[in-house]
Amino acid sequence: MVDIREVARRSGVSPATVSRALNGRPDVSEATRERVRKTASDLGYLPNEQARTLVRRRSDTVGLIWDTSYVVTKGRHSFLQDLAVGLKIALAETGYHLMILSPGSTTGSEDAFVRIAAQHSLEGVALMAVEPHLPAVEALIASGRPCIGLDLPIRGRRASYVGADNHHGASLAVDHLVGLGHRRIAVITGPLDILPGVERHEGFRTQMAAHGLEVLPEYVVSGDFFIESGHAAMLTLLALPNPPTAVFACGDQMAVGAMHAINEAGLDVPGDISVVGFDDVEIAALVRPSLTTVSQDYLGLGRAAVELLSNLIAEDREFGRGADAPPSTAARRPELVPGALIVRDSTGPVPLTQGVPAIA
Amino acid sequence: MVDIREVARRSGVSPATVSRALNGRPDVSEATRERVRKTASDLGYLPNEQARTLVRRRSDTVGLIWDTSYVVTKGRHSFLQDLAVGLKIALAETGYHLMILSPGSTTGSEDAFVRIAAQHSLEGVALMAVEPHLPAVEALIASGRPCIGLDLPIRGRRASYVGADNHHGASLAVDHLVGLGHRRIAVITGPLDILPGVERHEGFRTQMAAHGLEVLPEYVVSGDFFIESGHAAMLTLLALPNPPTAVFACGDQMAVGAMHAINEAGLDVPGDISVVGFDDVEIAALVRPSLTTVSQDYLGLGRAAVELLSNLIAEDREFGRGADAPPSTAARRPELVPGALIVRDSTGPVPLTQGVPAIA
DNA sequence: TTGTATGCGTTATCAC
DNA sequence: GTGATAACGCATACAA
């Protein structure tokens, strides 16, 4: 490995000048800059990042904390994978490097994340699929290091989050169903202790109310975003004396499970019951009937996350991390990325035998 | 940030002793070790990784080169995402950190990967979804830095790869179909310029031959692993005067496309035609009928990759990277991870009407 | 068993 | 505009 001194020697200048020339500093003559550039490139000189980070006190690297333990217990989670890819792509566009952290055995300790971020001089940290009230997470946020939650509602002096606009997405689903003439609309919710679960449910109720429609208590069944819970929830709904004509499942997997249950009962989608999902993961377009759903713009989420994090990092550099530092301003407002309704084949007009005709 | 000197001062020893004590060196008394440990922990001391890497000349970090440009052009690719997760999990278990590289604008340059690996002192590099004959990739392999291809057939003095045992997997599919009585079996291949495409096709032919069965030329149709190509291929097969009674699609998406084509033709799966896929991605279990397929053990692939890479790194540390260094031995043999046949509902006994086109 | 001195490769400070 | 010189934070050879 050729180092900066070698380049200096071969260019007939000092290491300091080489550094200046290569880093585009103004205080160096164009002649020497060119000469240095040439010998550096001839020698294949590559500045060592560790050494640079050490002295510059910045690494151009952000970390990702992503708890994948759910893979073993519950199986894959497509949307999270999409989200990770979206983050990777956006980060690459911005020039940051991404370090996937392996807290390892120290996960339980309160300073696990703080420590690992400090040790690697990370300029910011993105978080996915972790419990926001974990002591290690709260300690990280309290440390003042720039943090961004992905679909994870964290807040702090230098922490914010991006997420799908779940309220808006749910309202799109409701509008679509109501527009098709449906009135008896049920919802299969996600877990009500995580943000997407809560917000999609809220959005559903709000928009139903906006249309002057009642949400019967027995039309609200909860699931856990995985397919089996959608199946089970739909069985519950089908057993009602007066089943719904449409179902809004707050996740695509649950929507697919619901469709299976409907088919197994000898009913047709969308002939008898319409189904709308949420997320637009890969399966949505592949099942038959293909699933009408609310898409999540995972590339947009990645971009929004990186932009927010960049701002937080900029503030961190400018004002420092001390308790006396002014808190973040604009960068602190969470960013909600809207999705779009993707109309496919799982939704249709309300059956004529039921309630209000679609076209009056 | 408290540094090693601070800890030394507060413990009444020299920085060297602190380093020795904290790194578990034998030549330090248990008494001082304990004392140093305590003050270090009290002060919340965290050794700086950049500084350590600089002086130890090892980073405990491996890089991942993963070309995600296909996301924009062709859409998501579930199996690659699974593979990435498998790698992450295995790496975490082994204590390595993972750095996702962003070659950025220099992607085209021949030394892009060599440079970035050197700059970040990466001990090894994993590669996914890149063209193995790209100059930048070949240069990286030639550099002697430990490399591991994921489903990517790379070889070199310190380079090897892991992949699914595609031959074996294909043979499982053939055995299954033959066992159900099928004789007229068609194949929808993947692209024949990448490894999984070639090997699954080869495995199919080999095992057909092992059963003494002929593979008609018109029963071999090629696709690109994406759903649309499976649909199109199946249309071609259905248009034959004598269509097959079973189809082996070399990827799950293509298998789903094929099932759609069959259904659209008014035929039944598996009543008229059986379909087997490959990969066992999420959709396989979710479509109806659920898809019989050959699973890929992505967690196993991740583990195998990390183990192989660890060995390559160990050899690299021991023998160095010079051209005179002895080449890797055991670690150099590619590791093929076997999958398993997952029997679901898309396969069944050959129809009694076999010999004539099955028209329901 | 412990301390001293040196170096890892770079950038920043301050002279000139 | 350029060159010494001193950090950055740590580990290690050598001396004690």
Side-chain angles (χ1 to χ4, degrees):
Chain A
M1 280 279 49
V2 36
D3 67 1
I4 199 172
R5 283 186 293 263
E6 177 73 15
V7 179
R9 226 171 297 134
R10 304 274 278 250
S11 324
V13 293
S14 73
T17 299
V18 173
S19 174
R20 283 190 282 249
L22 264 29
N23 287 320
R25 293 306 182 77
D27 51 354
V28 58
S29 78
E30 269 315 307
T32 41
R33 189 193 302 280
E34 257 330 299
R35 189 154 38 91
V36 169
R37 273 220 187 102
K38 170 121 180 42
T39 59
S41 133
D42 288 351
L43 265 49
Y45 165 69
L46 309 166
N48 179 297
E49 284 297 328
Q50 271 74 27
R52 297 191 81 214
T53 299
L54 199 56
V55 61
R56 294 197 318 151
R57 305 171 150 281
R58 60 184 276 183
S59 62
D60 291 323
T61 300
V62 311
L64 173 63
I65 292 176
W66 176 11
D67 180 3
T68 44
S69 57
Y70 65 86
V71 170
V72 182
T73 57
K74 294 201 148 189
R76 294 169 283 203
H77 194 315
S78 321
F79 177 64
L80 290 177
Q81 295 187 348
D82 289 345
L83 208 49
V85 170
L87 180 70
K88 169 198 181 287
I89 291 176
L91 239 20
E93 286 171 355
T94 319
Y96 281 107
H97 299 294
L98 214 208
M99 185 139 204
I100 312 273
L101 302 176
S102 305
S105 52
T106 58
T107 315
S109 101
E110 173 165 344
D111 63 347
F113 297 156
V114 175
R115 123 178 293 154
I116 209 162
Q119 285 186 309
H120 292 273
S121 314
L122 299 178
E123 307 203 27
V125 179
L127 297 108
M128 268 177 56
V130 296
E131 165 58 49
H133 296 302
L134 224 55
V137 171
E138 293 194 327
L140 176 65
I141 293 167
S143 77
R145 190 174 301 264
C147 288
I148 190 86
L150 277 76
D151 237 0
L152 207 70
I154 60 173
R155 303 282 215 125
R157 204 151 30 87
R158 292 275 182 275
S160 185
Y161 68 95
V162 300
D165 189 339
N166 290 308
H167 287 108
H168 176 249
S171 75
L172 293 177
V174 171
D175 288 350
H176 174 63
L177 292 173
V178 171
L180 289 167
H182 293 277
R183 297 293 177 270
R184 300 211 316 276
I185 307 175
V187 60
I188 301 176
T189 76
L192 296 179
D193 56 350
I194 64 176
L195 196 68
V198 172
E199 291 186 345
R200 292 174 193 179
H201 178 217
E202 282 175 3
F204 171 80
R205 300 192 87 103
T206 304
Q207 198 64 11
M208 286 292 278
H211 285 285
L213 294 174
E214 194 186 357
V215 179
L216 300 176
E218 62 266 34
Y219 277 8
V220 180
V221 192
S222 63
D224 65 1
F225 281 137
F226 290 87
I227 183 169
E228 202 39 62
S229 70
H231 187 267
M234 194 67 225
L235 290 182
T236 305
L237 292 171
L238 289 170
L240 293 174
N242 200 13
T245 65
V247 176
F248 170 47
C250 292
D252 284 345
Q253 287 207 10
M254 296 195 300
V256 171
M259 291 204 291
H260 291 165
I262 295 170
N263 291 336
E264 288 160 12
L267 298 175
D268 180 62
V269 175
D272 297 304
I273 301 181
S274 287
V275 176
V276 180
F278 206 117
D279 285 344
D280 194 27
V281 293
E282 187 180 28
I283 48 167
L286 267 38
V287 289
R288 286 295 176 274
S290 57
L291 184 65
T292 294
T293 188
V294 180
S295 71
Q296 294 232 54
D297 180 8
Y298 62 98
L299 294 174
L301 277 165
R303 269 192 293 270
V306 171
E307 190 184 332
L308 218 45
L309 190 54
S310 298
N311 291 339
L312 290 168
I313 290 172
E315 293 182 340
D316 187 55
R317 284 182 188 149
E318 185 171 359
F319 304 120
R321 206 167 290 165
D324 53 334
S328 302
T329 55
R332 213 173 142 201
R333 196 179 55 241
E335 172 109 9
L336 297 185
V337 178
L341 183 76
I342 311 289
V343 178
R344 296 204 180 89
D345 302 329
S346 65
T347 48
V350 66
L352 289 179
T353 55
Q354 313 269 350
V356 190
I359 302 170
Chain B
M1 276 279 54
V2 36
D3 68 0
I4 200 173
R5 283 186 294 262
E6 178 73 15
V7 178
R9 226 172 294 134
R10 305 274 278 248
S11 326
V13 295
S14 74
T17 299
V18 173
S19 173
R20 285 190 281 248
L22 263 30
N23 288 321
R25 291 309 179 80
D27 51 354
V28 56
S29 78
E30 270 315 307
T32 40
R33 190 193 302 279
E34 256 330 298
R35 190 155 37 93
V36 169
R37 273 220 187 103
K38 171 123 178 43
T39 59
S41 133
D42 287 352
L43 266 49
Y45 165 69
L46 309 166
N48 179 297
E49 283 297 327
Q50 272 75 26
R52 297 191 83 217
T53 299
L54 200 56
V55 62
R56 294 197 317 153
R57 307 174 147 275
R58 59 184 275 185
S59 61
D60 291 324
T61 300
V62 311
L64 172 62
I65 292 176
W66 176 13
D67 180 3
T68 43
S69 57
Y70 65 86
V71 169
V72 180
T73 59
K74 294 201 149 188
R76 294 168 283 202
H77 194 316
S78 322
F79 178 64
L80 289 177
Q81 295 187 348
D82 289 345
L83 207 50
V85 171
L87 181 70
K88 170 199 181 287
I89 291 176
L91 238 21
E93 285 171 355
T94 319
Y96 281 107
H97 300 294
L98 214 208
M99 183 141 204
I100 313 272
L101 302 177
S102 306
S105 51
T106 59
T107 315
S109 103
E110 171 164 344
D111 63 347
F113 296 157
V114 175
R115 128 179 290 157
I116 208 161
Q119 285 185 310
H120 291 274
S121 314
L122 300 179
E123 306 201 28
V125 178
L127 297 111
M128 268 177 56
V130 296
E131 165 58 51
H133 296 300
L134 222 56
V137 171
E138 292 193 328
L140 177 64
I141 294 167
S143 77
R145 191 174 300 265
C147 288
I148 190 86
L150 277 75
D151 235 1
L152 208 68
I154 59 173
R155 302 283 215 126
R157 206 155 25 94
R158 293 274 182 277
S160 184
Y161 68 95
V162 300
D165 190 340
N166 290 308
H167 286 108
H168 177 249
S171 76
L172 292 178
V174 171
D175 288 351
H176 174 64
L177 292 173
V178 171
L180 288 168
H182 294 277
R183 297 293 178 268
R184 302 210 315 275
I185 306 175
V187 62
I188 301 175
T189 76
L192 295 179
D193 57 350
I194 63 175
L195 196 69
V198 171
E199 291 186 346
R200 292 173 192 180
H201 178 218
E202 283 176 3
F204 172 79
R205 301 193 86 102
T206 305
Q207 198 64 10
M208 286 292 279
H211 285 286
L213 293 175
E214 194 183 359
V215 178
L216 301 176
E218 63 266 33
Y219 276 8
V220 180
V221 192
S222 64
D224 65 1
F225 280 136
F226 290 87
I227 184 169
E228 203 38 63
S229 70
H231 186 268
M234 194 67 225
L235 290 181
T236 306
L237 292 170
L238 288 171
L240 292 175
N242 201 12
T245 65
V247 176
F248 170 47
C250 293
D252 284 345
Q253 286 207 10
M254 297 196 299
V256 171
M259 290 205 291
H260 291 165
I262 295 170
N263 290 335
E264 289 160 12
L267 298 177
D268 180 62
V269 177
D272 299 305
I273 301 181
S274 286
V275 176
V276 180
F278 205 117
D279 285 343
D280 193 28
V281 292
E282 187 180 26
I283 47 168
L286 267 37
V287 290
R288 286 297 178 271
S290 58
L291 184 65
T292 294
T293 188
V294 180
S295 71
Q296 294 230 56
D297 179 9
Y298 62 96
L299 293 175
L301 277 164
R303 269 192 293 270
V306 171
E307 190 184 333
L308 218 44
L309 190 55
S310 298
N311 291 338
L312 290 167
I313 291 172
E315 292 182 342
D316 187 55
R317 285 181 188 151
E318 185 171 359
F319 303 121
R321 206 166 291 167
D324 54 334
S328 302
T329 55
R332 211 172 144 202
R333 196 178 57 241
E335 171 107 10
L336 298 185
V337 177
L341 184 76
I342 311 290
V343 179
R344 296 203 179 90
D345 302 329
S346 67
T347 49
V350 66
L352 294 177
T353 55
Q354 97 168 284
V356 296
I359 301 297

